[in-house]
């Protein structure tokens, strides 16, 4: 079976550069000029490196630099653009040197992929200009928020920015990104009910809840995820304290026999006794806070559903033990595999590898088609849909590979790292402890310390770019200046969210710089471990 996994992932790696954009009128490969967002290329770029296909990573980086343009008249999801495009570009930027890409002087504080990520993120900033600071769900990349745009946004669409935006602020020196992400998080926190729960959709103009179902699944999920991951990435105790308070309320009101149901956010009464496939991220999140026992019990519940159908249906009626009408599909989502990877790293329990085996066998048997892997329209009869989601390449494939590759550079153990010289001094990169955004794009937390500008001491970056390699660490030759913020400024004025008295409160004091641990790189290729791991599935113990 592990050999099958290797073939599957190698095939995906070979297919990846062939399937993006729209085909030409004669059915030929798409013209690079028509890539537009090039969403799949961006979303799957770091997957190429993690699977070891360095040459394709390098080629795709060149394609993106030559062809991606965000000045287009397109209405885009603020949430999806952030997690897939901004997150994918940031991750690829930070992994470029490891992939053998020739980086420019001053990297990781500069670079073409970083500039693309910043450009994409700036296109999203108009969505945050609301009375509450919570963003609209959709923005036009050319014109900003359309007149008449609905102000109703899901909770996850408001609270899923701190990982990417804080990283972007740290790398570029522009605090506006982290600031707007923190405001949105705080407004959600202030909007929770008296029993400590948040609903599913809220009006970003008035702050009134429109959908009052509370749970851990669709529409809410990555809000909780980003409180934990933001806390780890930024060493922010306040974000973790917020999540732990939510966790108490979730356990008190939504948890029943290691399942999590949907309840009314003000009363705690059950509104939907269903399990959603998107909820399968929760055991992985629990493992990040050290709650392994509860995580394993919930994971095993979800695994029984997988074994029943060969995949997770979008909705599963818990009392009836069967799928919900019109929610029988499985678009090859990654969440249960994601949790398996996290829990296996924490426990080494071979049951988690069995899930990986089942996932590979199911995907190959049910969804494999000539040109890729298709969404399963109905798990009851395994009918297929004519589509393959980009998250299959960005997340599902990546988490499967990392589950079976314990010495991948992502799993560094602290023995090696890279030292780099930046415009702001020497720093450590590639030291492990990667934080995955909700689209499985790994962010190197050490990078956030590479480009920090002190208010009292600002190095002139332009001089450094010209003289970097000759000057090295001779900081004394650099002039000091104040770094200006980006072209977008929060609206100011009495009584507004970004008025001076409120703006200072929003800007959190940065935590003291943490000592960076020593971490490691892989020593063996994945293929050398196939036979070893294969024994796991022959051992009934």
């Amino acid at each position: 079976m592990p050999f099958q996994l290797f073939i599957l992932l190698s095939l995906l790696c070979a297919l990846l550069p062939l399937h993006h954009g729209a085909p030409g009128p004669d059915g030929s490969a798409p013209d690079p000029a028509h890539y537009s967002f090039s969403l799949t290329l961006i979303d799957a770029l770091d997957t190429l490196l993690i699977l070891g296909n360095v040459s394709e990573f390098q080629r795709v980086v060149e394609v993106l630099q030559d062809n991606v343009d965000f000045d287009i008249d397109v209405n885009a999801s603020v949430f999806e653009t952030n997690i897939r495009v901004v997150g994918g570009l940031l991750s690829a930027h930070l992994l470029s040197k490891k992939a053998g890409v020739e980086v420019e002087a001053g990297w990781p504080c500069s670079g073409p992929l970083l500039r693309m990520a910043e450009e994409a993120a700036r296109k999203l900033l108009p969505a945050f200009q609301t009375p509450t600071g919570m963003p609209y769900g959709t923005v036009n990349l050319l014109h900003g928020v359309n007149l008449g745009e609905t102000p109703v946004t899901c909770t996850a669409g408001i609270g899923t920015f701190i990982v990417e935006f804080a990283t972007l602020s740290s790398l570029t020196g522009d605090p506006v990104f982290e600031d707007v992400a923190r405001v949105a998080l705080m407004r959600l926190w202030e909007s929770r009910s008296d029993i400590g729960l948040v609903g599913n959709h809220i009006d970003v103009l008035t702050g009134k809840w429109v959908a009052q179902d509370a749970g851990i699944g669709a529409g809410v999920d990555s809000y909780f995820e980003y409180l934990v991951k933001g806390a780890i990435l930024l060493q922010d105790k306040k974000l973790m304290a917020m999540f732990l308070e939510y966790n108490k309320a979730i356990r008190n009101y939504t948890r029943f026999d290691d399942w999590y149901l949907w309840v009314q956010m003000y009363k705690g009464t059950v509104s939907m006794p269903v399990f959603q496939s998107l909820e399968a991220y929760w055991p992985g999140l629990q493992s990040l806070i050290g709650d392994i026992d509860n995580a394993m019990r919930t994971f095993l519940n979800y695994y029984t559903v997988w074994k029943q159908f060969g995949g997770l249906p979008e909705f599963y009626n818990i009392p009836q033990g069967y799928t919900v009408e019109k929610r029988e599909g499985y678009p090859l989502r990654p969440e249960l595999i994601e949790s398996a990877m996290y829990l296996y790293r924490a426990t080494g329990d071979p049951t988690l590898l069995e899930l990986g085996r089942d996932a590979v066998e199911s995907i190959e048997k049910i969804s494999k088609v000539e040109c890729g892997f298709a969404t399963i329209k109905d798990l009851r009869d395994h009918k297929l849909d004519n589509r393959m989601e980009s998250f299959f390449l960005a997340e599902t494939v990546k988490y499967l590979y990392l589950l079976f590759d314990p010495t991948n550079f992502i799993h560094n153990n602290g023995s090696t790292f890279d030292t780099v010289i930046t415009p702001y001094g020497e720093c450590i990169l590639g030291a492990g402890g990667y934080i995955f955004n909700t689209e499985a794009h790994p962010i190197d937390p050490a990078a956030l310390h590479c480009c920090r500008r002190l208010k009292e001491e600002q190095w002139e970056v332009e001089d450094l770019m010209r003289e970097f390699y000759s000057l090295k660490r001779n900081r004394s030759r650099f002039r000091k200046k104040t770094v200006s913020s980006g072209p977008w400024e929060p609206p100011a004025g009495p009584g507004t969210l970004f008025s001076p008295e409120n703006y200072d409160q929003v800007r959190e004091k940065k935590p003291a710089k943490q000592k960076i641990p020593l971490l490691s790189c892989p020593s063996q290729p994945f293929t050398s471990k196939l036979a070893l791991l294969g024994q796991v599935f022959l051992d009934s113990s």
Side-chain angles (χ1 to χ4, degrees):
M1 167 273 158
F3 184 67
Q4 290 176 322
L5 173 66
F6 179 72
I7 293 175
L8 165 64
L9 298 179
S10 297
L11 175 61
L12 279 172
C13 209
L15 285 171
L16 178 61
L18 301 179
H19 297 280
H20 49 259
D26 59 351
S28 60
D31 184 333
H34 297 137
Y35 286 167
S36 183
F37 249 13
S38 297
L39 180 61
T40 300
L41 280 176
I42 295 172
D43 218 5
L45 183 50
D46 50 38
T47 302
L48 284 169
L49 178 60
I50 288 172
L51 269 62
N53 197 330
V54 173
S55 60
E56 281 301 300
F57 182 100
Q58 296 170 355
R59 190 172 76 86
V60 172
V61 167
E62 292 181 2
V63 169
L64 293 176
Q65 291 181 57
D66 293 340
N67 297 286
V68 171
D69 181 7
F70 296 115
D71 285 324
I72 50 177
D73 188 3
V74 168
N75 295 323
S77 164
V78 179
F79 168 82
E80 297 288 355
T81 304
N82 176 57
I83 66 171
R84 300 186 190 212
V85 178
V86 178
L89 289 170
L90 284 173
S91 176
H93 165 71
L94 293 174
L95 293 172
S96 291
K97 193 170 184 179
K98 183 177 287 293
V101 175
E102 184 177 351
V103 298
E104 67 185 36
W107 178 90
C109 309
S110 65
L113 295 181
L114 176 60
R115 288 188 286 273
M116 289 170 62
E118 182 179 4
E119 181 186 358
R122 288 199 185 280
K123 294 291 187 179
L124 306 182
L125 288 180
F128 291 83
Q129 298 185 57
T130 65
T132 65
M134 294 186 285
Y136 284 95
T138 303
V139 67
N140 185 282
L141 297 182
L142 195 61
H143 305 296
V145 178
N146 291 320
L147 291 175
E149 178 64 44
T150 176
V152 178
T153 306
C154 70
T155 303
I158 294 167
T160 310
F161 293 91
I162 192 65
V163 170
E164 298 84 2
F165 275 29
T167 299
L168 196 54
S169 285
S170 294
L171 295 178
T172 65
D174 189 342
V176 68
F177 302 106
E178 182 173 346
D179 288 344
V180 298
R182 284 188 179 276
V183 169
L185 286 175
M186 290 306 301
R187 294 303 174 259
L188 280 176
W189 173 251
E190 294 164 359
S191 301
R192 69 195 188 283
S193 69
D194 291 339
I195 62 174
L197 298 173
V198 289
N200 201 272
H201 284 74
I202 195 170
D203 188 313
V204 300
L205 300 181
T206 66
K208 301 294 183 183
W209 288 102
V210 175
Q212 299 180 1
D213 293 307
I216 62 171
V220 184
D221 46 6
S222 52
Y223 169 47
F224 296 136
E225 179 185 356
Y226 270 41
L227 289 176
V228 173
K229 291 182 175 179
I232 297 171
L233 181 69
L234 304 173
Q235 294 297 291
D236 190 313
K237 295 180 181 178
K238 186 173 183 179
L239 294 180
M240 184 61 75
M242 290 162 63
F243 174 78
L244 293 176
E245 281 299 309
Y246 278 129
N247 197 36
K248 290 178 185 177
I250 288 166
R251 293 178 68 172
N252 287 339
Y253 294 101
T254 76
R255 182 181 174 186
F256 294 87
D257 295 330
D258 298 314
W259 295 95
Y260 292 84
L261 311 183
W262 288 86
V263 302
Q264 211 281 339
M265 66 176 288
Y266 293 104
K267 301 176 183 178
T269 53
V270 175
S271 58
M272 290 189 295
V274 300
F275 157 62
Q276 298 177 342
S277 61
L278 285 171
E279 297 172 13
Y281 79 99
W282 189 254
L285 192 64
Q286 288 176 304
S287 76
L288 285 177
I289 63 170
D291 192 6
I292 302 298
D293 290 342
N294 285 321
M296 281 298 293
R297 286 197 292 268
T298 298
F299 176 88
L300 292 174
N301 275 348
Y302 297 168
Y303 187 20
T304 61
V305 178
W306 180 289
K307 291 199 286 189
Q308 183 178 352
F309 296 101
L312 288 185
E314 294 287 70
F315 281 29
Y316 179 82
N317 187 302
I318 297 170
Q320 296 179 3
Y322 206 63
T323 60
V324 175
E325 186 178 0
K326 297 182 180 179
R327 294 291 187 273
E328 305 94 345
Y330 170 53
L332 309 181
R333 290 196 186 277
E335 283 75 18
L336 190 63
I337 300 162
E338 172 187 2
S339 287
M341 186 205 73
Y342 278 114
L343 283 169
Y344 185 65
R345 300 301 302 171
T347 67
D349 188 333
T351 302
L352 300 156
L353 294 179
E354 293 175 11
L355 177 276
R357 172 200 62 192
D358 291 348
V360 172
E361 291 179 347
S362 292
I363 290 169
E364 282 199 294
K365 181 178 180 180
I366 300 172
S367 72
K368 185 175 179 180
V369 293
E370 183 179 355
C371 60
F373 294 84
T375 287
I376 300 169
K377 190 173 185 178
D378 193 328
L379 277 169
R380 297 171 301 176
D381 56 17
H382 296 164
K383 287 183 179 177
L384 300 181
D385 204 352
N386 187 24
R387 61 186 297 140
M388 183 178 74
E389 300 287 350
S390 75
F391 59 66
F392 175 66
L393 297 173
E395 301 184 75
T396 308
V397 169
K398 186 181 298 166
Y399 286 132
L400 270 173
Y401 196 85
L402 290 173
L403 175 63
F404 288 101
D405 186 8
T407 61
N408 195 281
F409 73 88
I410 290 291
H411 299 315
N412 287 349
N413 65 10
S415 62
T416 62
F417 56 89
D418 297 319
T419 303
V420 297
I421 306 297
T422 77
Y424 314 101
E426 185 178 86
C427 72
I428 300 299
L429 284 177
Y434 292 89
I435 301 297
F436 286 98
N437 85 336
T438 195
E439 190 73 4
H441 297 305
I443 301 295
D444 187 342
L448 275 65
H449 301 272
C450 289
C451 311
R452 292 271 170 88
R453 296 161 169 85
L454 299 177
K455 289 183 179 179
E456 299 81 10
E457 295 185 48
Q458 302 291 355
W459 307 113
E460 185 160 329
V461 179
E462 291 80 3
D463 283 354
L464 184 80
M465 295 307 175
R466 289 191 294 267
E467 305 181 75
F468 180 71
Y469 287 110
S470 60
L471 292 180
K472 303 261 180 180
R473 304 180 192 179
N474 187 9
R475 299 179 180 179
S476 62
R477 294 178 59 182
F478 302 139
R479 299 192 301 274
K480 300 176 182 179
K481 73 173 185 178
T482 300
V483 174
S484 63
S485 63
W488 185 87
E489 293 291 344
T496 68
L497 175 65
F498 289 104
S499 59
E501 63 271 18
N502 290 337
Y503 192 64
D504 288 340
Q505 295 172 12
V506 168
R507 295 284 303 279
E508 298 284 348
K509 184 178 180 182
K510 304 294 185 188
K513 189 172 182 179
Q514 304 291 314
K515 186 176 180 181
I516 304 298
L518 305 181
L519 305 168
S520 77
C521 287
S523 57
Q524 289 179 297
F526 176 62
T527 49
S528 67
K529 294 179 282 294
L530 292 175
L532 251 175
L533 289 175
Q535 296 173 12
V536 172
F537 306 119
L538 302 176
D539 185 352
S540 60
S541 63

